[in-house]
Every structure is written in structure tokens, then in C-alpha cells.
Amino acid sequence: MAEQTKACTVFHARESKSFNLRVNNSATKHLSGDECIHIDVSIPAAAGFTCTAKYWPNWQSSDSIKISVVITRTDDQQHHYQQRQHKLLAAHIDLPARTGLTPPPVTEEGISLIAKRSDVEASCVVDDHFTAICMVAVSKVWPPLPLPTLSRLEHDILMTSDLTDVSFQVDGETFRAHRLVLAARSPVFRAELFGRQMAEESSQQEQASSIAVQDMKASTFKSMLHYMYHGLLPAVAAPPVAAAAETEADCRVSEFQNLYVAAGKYGLDTLKQTCEEILCASVTTDTVLSSLQFAEEHACLKLKSRCLDFLAIGEKFKAVAITNEYIDLMKKVPSLLDHVQNRFKRPRLS
């Protein structure tokens, strides 16, 4: 399905966060520098928001063009402060012919890209049109709301640390918890803890049991435990101390990958979905390969599709394909090379 004006047409891409803006070069060249064409775009992944694509064919001079994607709320019943409680988590605007440009900055309201007209017109080889590939991922509430006020029962449970009846030894750290809370959240803990409790009661053990958790970082278990008590991830999650070769983005992605695996181990489906959404929004040239490998190993179909769509963008693929990491991954998992090549073969417009 397409949304269009006389000079611009929007085609919705395979991914719910993406769309393609197709521009008629000849029909727009006559506009002055301060004139722009704008078209509203319906994005399923940004329900409750209006996405507007804007195109300036003669930005400041006839040598440049500008493309912007702006996000605004559509709920007029909320007061002004609430209307600003959103943020663009990630965004991309790509022109197949553009070269030598740094990625455009993303603000809370949107993203803009300025390119040389010569680069744009170089891609107008068919019907005098060019296409901009756009992607947006919106957080509906930003900054993140503080943890909700706990009910009296939840508050009492959290305050009764002296009544905890189980402890966990994880990566050299000890975490104490309440069996009933964990059993209510996780079917795996329910089977393990209450089965263990019956055995302990028959032995008349008085002290709380201690369970060793293998193959999990303490920071991962701590975040999972917090989620099980609060229903939310920690409000502030500082990345762990990284090796010199790792970036902060690498550490963040690694933490959420570990948390995804932990959530699967203990049957926390909602936490798994949350982690996958965060990983999808965190795909960059630095993280796409590790995310793609993780998605393949753990059958994360949504994350895998996001990574393949990212690599299908020419400039992004060029930056990634020259790395040893890319070559090693394609040799290690040959089926991924077929997926990448097939994604390139698909038509960009649908």
C-alpha cells in the first residue's frame, strides 16, 4: 500500500518500523529553498504517533537536498508535558547513492539528512525518481517513568528480607528471595522451589536453602530478579566494566542477550519479548553481526529479520562486509550468507 502526493510516494516496507520515500526529481526541482513537500506516514509500530516525512529539494542552495522524518503525538487530550513524553529510540535515513556522509543525528522529535544534489541525481536513472529508505523506532514513554508505587503487599514483601526462604549463589554473589514470589512469576521456579521445599520440610531443615546457579552472570540474575519483583527492568542499568576492545554499546547488547537467555531458561516470556525489542532497537554497524549470530543461535526471528534488513542497506552493508568479523561469521554459519544475499535480491518497494 502507498501513501502519496503528486511529487512524493511512500511505500511501506516489510518491517513495521520502515518505509520508503520515492521522490520525483523533476517535479520538485522548481521549489524554492524554503519550500518543502510533506506527507504523513502511517507506521504500525508507532501507533498513537504521527510520522511526517519532509523533503526540501533546494535546501539553502540548489546544491543540496534535505529529508526529515518527524514524530509527534496524536492524542490531543493530553496536556503539553505529557505530549512530549516520547523519544525516537533509533532512526535511519539512507540514500543508495550518498557517499562520505556521517550518520545523521537523532533527536527526540526526529531525524534529518542533508545530501548533495549530485549524489541524489546520480541515482535517478529510472523514471527520474530516487528513493530514501527510512526507519523509526519510538518509545511511547520517555524519559522512562519511575518504578510505580508499590502496593502495600508488595512493599511488605520487599521489606521482609528476614523472611526470605531461599538464596542463590551466582557468580560469587548471594541473592536472597521469597519462594512464593518466584513461583508466582516463573513456572520453572515453581517446579524447582516447591519440589525442593517439600524435600526440605520432610528433612526438617530449618535454614533457607541455597541454590547454585551455573552459567549466568550476577548482573544478569540481579536484573532478572528485579523484573520478577517489580514487573519492570531496573530503571538505571549501568553497563558492566568492559574489556578495552569492547564498546559501551557492545556491553549493553551483551547484557540484554544474557538476560534474554536467562528469561528463556526460567519461562519469563514477557521479559524475553522486552529484551528482543531492545536488541532490535540497538542494531548498528557495531552490533549487527553479534546480534545476527545471537538471533540465529537462539531462534530470535524478529531480531534476525531486523539485522538482515539493516544489512540490506547498501552503505551499512559496505561498512560491515569489509570486517574480519563478517567474513568469519559467514564461514561459520554459511546459511546466513544465503539469507543476506536473498534479502538484497528482494525489491525495495512493495
Side-chain angles (χ1 to χ4, degrees), residues 111 155 174 230 337:
I111 185 173
H155 179 270
T174 301
H230 297 271
L337 181 58

Side-chain angles (χ1 to χ4, degrees), residues 114-345:
I114 299 175
K116 292 181 179 180
R117 172 168 290 282
S118 59
D119 286 343
V120 172
E121 292 183 339
S123 65
C124 297
V125 294
V126 179
D127 298 330
D128 199 30
H129 286 72
F130 70 90
T131 299
I133 304 165
C134 309
M135 187 280 287
V136 295
V138 180
S139 169
K140 293 187 177 182
V141 179
W142 195 271
L145 294 177
L147 291 175
T149 303
L150 298 177
S151 70
R152 184 64 190 175
L153 177 58
E154 289 171 317
H155 179 270
D156 290 345
I157 291 174
L158 289 173
M159 291 298 101
T160 56
S161 58
D162 57 322
L163 298 181
T164 57
D165 51 5
V166 65
S167 64
F168 297 88
Q169 305 298 323
V170 189
D171 196 23
E173 295 189 31
T174 301
F175 298 91
R176 302 184 64 82
H178 305 80
R179 293 174 187 268
L180 186 59
V181 173
L182 303 189
R185 298 295 191 189
S186 163
V188 177
F189 273 128
R190 179 182 178 88
E192 179 179 2
L193 295 176
F194 277 84
R196 187 182 294 265
Q197 182 187 43
M198 287 185 234
E200 288 170 355
E201 287 177 349
S202 64
S203 314
Q204 296 184 348
Q205 293 185 1
E206 297 181 355
Q207 296 183 347
S209 61
S210 178
I211 301 173
V213 177
Q214 306 295 332
D215 302 323
M216 187 180 299
K217 292 183 177 181
S219 59
T220 302
F221 190 87
K222 182 178 181 180
S223 294
M224 184 181 73
L225 199 62
H226 186 284
Y227 181 87
M228 296 177 75
Y229 272 90
H230 297 271
L232 294 170
L233 289 172
V236 178
V241 177
E246 291 184 314
T247 66
E248 183 173 321
D250 292 330
C251 294
R252 174 181 171 85
V253 167
S254 179
E255 277 293 290
F256 281 109
Q257 288 176 352
N258 293 337
L259 191 55
Y260 178 95
V261 173
K265 178 179 179 179
Y266 290 102
L268 302 171
D269 293 338
T270 303
L271 179 56
K272 278 184 64 177
Q273 294 172 7
T274 299
C275 290
E276 189 168 16
E277 288 289 344
I278 294 173
L279 289 171
C280 285
S282 302
V283 172
T284 66
T285 53
D286 292 329
T287 64
V288 63
L289 294 179
S290 63
S291 294
L292 181 57
Q293 181 175 354
F294 178 84
E296 181 73 4
E297 292 173 350
H298 297 276
C300 303
L301 299 183
K302 186 173 184 178
L303 177 59
K304 180 177 179 179
S305 179
R306 170 72 189 107
C307 292
L308 292 173
D309 281 344
F310 184 90
L311 289 175
I313 299 172
E315 292 297 323
K316 307 297 184 186
F317 178 76
K318 290 178 184 178
V320 173
I322 61 174
T323 64
N324 291 331
E325 184 183 0
Y326 174 82
I327 297 172
D328 292 342
L329 178 59
M330 295 304 126
K331 289 180 179 179
K332 181 179 180 181
V333 191
S335 61
L336 287 180
L337 181 58
D338 294 334
H339 287 306
V340 172
Q341 292 174 339
N342 289 337
R343 194 59 61 101
F344 265 116
K345 294 176 183 177

